């Protein structure tokens, strides 16, 4: 049985993780702690604050104390990692790994690794963020060799508001994003505040190609780092190894 610690900022779509855990038939667990979020805002200064090394180190200490030994740990926040830039995000993940003493990553790098796993070279991006924050993720993906063909930014400031979006709205959003770039290899929905775990297969059915979502790739990355990279139904193309 593998244990992947999840560090999650604030409160919005954290219930995606216990939902996913029920689908992990090998007994893998995803214990989650809420890290400090002084200001809930998709804004550069607030994002730099929630992704600080001390904030994440404290989260790592708490999740280990509450769940016991970990096999891997993930900073489950896309904007709170890519906002540091490619090099800064790499330093952030390395600092978390040192603090936790187990393999570590963040959602931003999980998207990159998931695209590489599936051979995805071009994407359509459906961001809940304001345009400037979405642009920072475009730069991050481009740095790692992923071409972003179109960007749709919904300009929602708070994670709490994103977490209230119903499944139908998320499905419609993904469909609209996909229609803007029919030639894109995949659709990316990068906010961990967005509920998606219950509708991963439905999302892919709607758009007719792989859809990568933030909580999905965070879970996949953690399990992969923990040595539990298995075929898992119900969690989208990313979790199907065949």
């Amino acid at each position: 049985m593998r244990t992947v610690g999840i560090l999650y900022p604030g409160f919005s779509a954290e219930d995606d993780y216990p939902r996913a855990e029920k689908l992990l038939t090998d007994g893998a667990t995803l214990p989650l702690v809420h890290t400090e979020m002084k200001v809930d805002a998709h804004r550069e200064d607030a994002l730099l604050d929630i992704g600080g090394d001390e904030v994440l180190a404290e989260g790592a200490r708490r999740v280990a104390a509450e769940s016991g030994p970990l096999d891997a740990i993930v900073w489950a926040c896309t904007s709170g990692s890519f906002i540091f830039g490619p090099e800064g995000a790499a330093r952030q993940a390395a600092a978390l790994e040192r603090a936790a003493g187990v393999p570590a990553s963040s959602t931003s790098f999980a998207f990159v690794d998931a695209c590489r796993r599936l051979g995805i070279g071009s994407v359509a991006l459906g961001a809940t963020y304001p345009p400037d924050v979405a642009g920072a993720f475009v730069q991050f993906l481009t740095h790692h060799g992923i071409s972003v063909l179109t960007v749709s930014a919904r300009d929602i400031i708070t994670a709490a508001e994103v977490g209230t979006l119903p499944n139908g709205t998320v499905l419609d959003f993904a469909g609209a994003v996909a229609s803007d770039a029919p030639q894109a290899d995949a659709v990316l929905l990068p906010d961990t505040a967005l509920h998606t775990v219950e509708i991963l297969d439905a999302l892919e059915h709607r758009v007719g190609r792989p859809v990568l979502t933030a909580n999905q790739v965070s879970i996949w990355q953690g399990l992969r780092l923990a040595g539990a990279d298995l075929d898992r139904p119900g969690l989208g193309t990313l979790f199907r190894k065949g």
Side-chain angles (χ1 to χ4, degrees):
M1 184 178 75
R2 301 292 181 173
T3 301
V4 177
I6 303 294
L7 305 185
Y8 192 91
F11 296 81
S12 46
E14 67 276 7
D15 46 341
D16 262 4
Y17 291 86
R19 286 177 179 139
E21 191 176 82
K22 292 177 182 179
L23 300 174
L24 306 181
T25 54
D26 62 328
T29 59
L30 306 170
L32 179 149
V33 299
H34 296 272
T35 55
E36 183 180 35
M37 176 187 277
K38 295 176 183 176
V39 178
D40 180 8
H42 289 131
R43 199 180 64 226
E44 182 176 357
D45 62 326
L47 295 172
L48 291 171
D49 185 65
I50 66 171
D53 289 348
E54 283 305 313
V55 173
L56 300 190
E58 173 59 22
R61 288 189 288 269
R62 285 171 48 213
V63 72
E66 294 174 13
S67 67
L70 303 175
D71 296 293
I73 192 167
V74 176
W75 167 224
C77 184
T78 325
S79 55
S81 46
F82 70 69
I83 201 67
F84 289 83
E87 292 78 15
R91 288 193 295 270
Q92 179 192 64
L96 176 58
E97 185 163 311
R98 288 193 298 272
V102 295
S105 189
S106 67
T107 308
S108 293
F109 285 112
F111 271 112
V112 172
D113 291 337
C115 284
R116 289 173 176 165
R117 162 63 67 87
L118 297 178
I120 291 167
S122 64
V123 301
L125 185 64
T128 52
Y129 315 131
D132 60 329
V133 176
F137 191 42
V138 172
Q139 293 175 13
F140 185 90
L141 293 172
T142 301
H143 176 86
H144 289 95
I146 299 164
S147 176
V148 181
L149 302 185
T150 60
V151 180
S152 177
R154 288 187 64 112
D155 203 13
I156 301 176
I157 297 299
T158 69
E161 182 179 350
V162 173
T164 68
L165 297 177
N167 288 345
T169 298
V170 179
L171 286 163
D172 289 345
F173 180 45
V177 171
S179 68
D180 287 341
Q183 70 276 38
D185 296 331
V187 171
L188 268 59
L189 303 179
D191 196 344
T192 58
L194 195 66
H195 286 98
T196 61
V197 162
E198 287 186 326
I199 56 171
L200 289 169
D201 289 343
L203 282 165
E204 295 193 333
H205 180 75
R206 174 68 68 91
V207 308
R209 69 195 94 159
V211 177
L212 298 178
T213 77
N215 290 327
Q216 174 203 37
V217 301
S218 298
I219 294 163
W220 171 81
Q221 182 83 318
L223 292 169
R224 185 181 71 84
L225 293 175
D229 187 7
L230 308 175
D231 189 290
R232 301 176 187 275
L235 292 169
T237 298
L238 179 61
F239 281 84
R240 294 195 289 272
K241 297 189 69 175

